[in-house]
Amino acid sequence: NGCFWHGHDCVRGARAPKTNAEYWRLKISRNSLRDSSNVEALKAKGWRAVVIWECELKELSKVKKRLAAFLH
């Protein structure tokens, strides 16, 4: 997920838009709610889901370890 577009709690995700702020605040909030709903729907069908945030891609070794643990 893109940190800004999906409301991650990192520095990039917490950045407030400079223009059309109310529109983007609501849009990002809806994105976040949709993401949560989608993960819950997958769980209800017996699937597992892992969310990888844009900011996490800076440390690929950690992402690899997390994915390996998730898939194991």
Side-chain angles (χ1 to χ4, degrees), residues 11 15 21 31 34-35 39 57 67:
V11 173
R15 185 179 70 215
N31 289 348
R34 185 189 65 233
D35 294 341
V39 168
L57 296 176
L67 284 173

Side-chain angles (χ1 to χ4, degrees), residues 12-49:
R12 185 176 193 137
R15 185 179 70 215
K18 293 181 181 178
T19 59
N20 212 3
E22 183 62 14
Y23 169 82
W24 288 112
R25 186 186 66 72
L26 291 171
K27 172 74 173 156
I28 292 165
S29 177
R30 287 191 309 266
N31 289 348
S32 181
L33 289 172
R34 185 189 65 233
D35 294 341
S36 296
S37 176
N38 288 342
V39 168
E40 289 304 314
L42 287 168
K43 285 181 182 178
K45 293 181 179 191
W47 289 85
R48 296 181 311 139

Side-chain angles (χ1 to χ4, degrees), residues 3 10-12 52-63:
C3 295
C10 69
V11 173
R12 185 176 193 137
I52 298 174
W53 292 98
E54 174 186 11
C55 63
E56 294 176 308
L57 296 176
K58 294 176 185 172
E59 297 184 59
L60 288 179
S61 62
K62 286 185 180 181
V63 173

